[in-house]
Amino acid sequence: MRGLAAMLHGLRESRAMAAKRDIAGTVAALGYGGADAIRLGDDCAAIPDGDGYLLFASEGFQDGFVRAMPWFAGYCGVMVNASDIAAMGGRAIAVVDTLWGESAGGAAPILHGLRDGARAYGIPVVGGHTNLGSAHCSLSVAILGRARRLLTSFDARPGEVLVAAIDLRGKWHDPHPFWDASSETGAGGDAARLRADLEVLPEIAEAGLSRAAKDISMAGILGTAVMLAECSRIGVTVDLDAVPRPDGAPMERWLGAFPSYGYLLTARPADAGAILARFQARGIAAAVIGACDGARTLDVLHDGVRETFWDLGRQPLIGCAP
């Protein structure tokens, strides 16, 4: 493995982190202010509704990915959105899709993947928009959910610990950075397991064991931790040696991975054991991987060496801090 500083530089300059930096420009163009009623920066918009919250989110997929892996792209349209709902402590209600395709035949595997994902996670596709006379092939999927108690990006506090929970029962989708512990399980008839695994997050929220969480995105474990720290205006130290990792997975590749089931949560130290036990009872690897403080940096420990991955005091990432 490369030295820690060189590895962190490569991760910091990755395309995935550059894509997250693009969010800051979008937020500025929208004229968002931290006092707005619906905060930007969470995995979903959380809209107060009665005694809970409606959760609303969407995902768009790069044309190259859709063209190269059409069935998996359709499946991911449900899978990644379902993960965003769970990361907020919610349960999904329904999805809609927007599909541009060059022909019905070309669009079919995308729609089949969307169908299979919907069946696996028990989330109906209730409508959308389709254009089969397009010059390109693109997909986006939006989701609606509901939460009784929220897990947010804004409620991590100094003194809490950082927990990572990741399903290691998967495989790489080479050459992409996707760690897939879902599609074969869902298509193979064990959809009940996928649904029960997602249920752990709202159960943790409703039990009051955590207030803050994010699902591990294309930015990987460290990039996701930076976004959580930025929104909560805290610092985080991550111990790489404590991060759950599949046997044989190189550290640098794993830190840049986008797992089908992967979450970061913060919790009071006294509640960490109960959180770990809930994930481990489902066969999901979970560990305390760091601690929250007030330093506004994301620092990394590995083999006795400490390096700063991101200094939020000098450079915001997504521009969504209150």
Side-chain angles (χ1 to χ4, degrees):
M1 187 183 77
R2 292 195 290 171
L4 180 59
M7 180 180 69
L8 295 181
H9 175 78
L11 292 167
R12 194 163 44 240
E13 299 302 316
S14 67
R15 290 178 59 188
M17 290 295 287
K20 295 302 181 184
R21 286 195 293 268
D22 289 345
I23 295 172
T26 302
V27 169
L30 289 172
Y32 169 72
D36 288 2
I38 307 300
R39 296 180 293 189
L40 299 184
D42 260 328
D43 291 286
C44 305
I47 305 166
D49 182 61
D51 60 351
Y53 299 84
L54 288 175
L55 303 177
F56 188 36
S58 67
E59 293 284 349
F61 299 90
Q62 294 182 353
D63 291 1
F65 170 54
V66 177
R67 191 177 296 278
M69 308 179 77
W71 180 90
F72 189 54
Y75 187 92
C76 285
V78 178
M79 179 186 75
V80 298
N81 272 306
S83 183
D84 283 341
I85 294 290
M88 296 284 294
R91 298 172 178 89
I93 296 171
V95 300
V96 296
D97 71 287
T98 302
L99 174 64
W100 293 266
E102 297 155 313
S103 67
I110 303 170
L111 292 170
H112 292 163
L114 187 70
R115 174 201 65 197
D116 293 344
R119 289 176 177 173
Y121 286 97
I123 305 168
V125 180
V126 297
H129 172 82
T130 303
N131 181 339
L132 297 182
S134 176
H136 60 94
C137 191
S138 298
L139 174 69
S140 66
V141 181
I143 192 165
L144 184 68
R146 185 166 181 82
R148 298 190 184 103
R149 296 185 68 174
L150 287 178
L151 300 171
T152 83
S153 299
F154 298 91
D155 290 307
R157 297 289 183 266
E160 294 183 329
V161 296
L162 182 69
V163 171
I166 309 173
D167 191 346
L168 304 183
R169 298 165 294 186
K171 65 179 183 180
W172 295 107
H173 261 290
D174 293 322
H176 304 286
F178 309 138
W179 180 259
D180 178 14
S182 173
S183 63
E184 289 189 359
T185 300
D190 197 7
R193 195 198 88 191
L194 296 179
R195 300 177 194 183
D197 289 349
L198 285 183
E199 182 68 14
V200 176
L201 279 300
E203 289 177 351
I204 285 172
E206 290 161 9
L209 295 173
S210 176
R211 298 171 301 179
K214 286 194 78 67
D215 81 325
I216 299 171
S217 71
M218 285 292 291
I221 292 168
L222 297 182
T224 301
V226 171
M227 291 188 286
L228 178 59
E230 180 177 0
C231 289
S232 289
R233 300 187 66 82
I234 61 167
V236 177
T237 298
V238 175
D239 181 358
L240 296 188
D241 300 313
V243 173
R245 180 162 49 120
D247 292 340
M251 177 68 79
E252 186 167 357
R253 187 179 191 191
W254 185 240
L255 291 176
F258 182 10
S260 60
Y261 187 105
Y263 299 92
L264 299 180
L265 306 91
T266 69
R268 297 178 292 268
D271 292 326
I275 291 174
L276 299 181
R278 287 175 183 256
F279 286 113
Q280 291 164 355
R282 299 290 317 158
I284 296 161
V288 172
I289 67 165
C292 304
D293 55 47
R296 302 296 314 285
T297 61
L298 193 292
D299 289 349
V300 172
L301 300 174
H302 183 54
D303 286 342
V305 178
R306 186 185 188 103
E307 293 279 353
T308 295
F309 177 69
W310 202 277
D311 185 344
L312 287 162
R314 297 179 58 188
Q315 183 183 11
L317 179 57
I318 60 174
C320 293

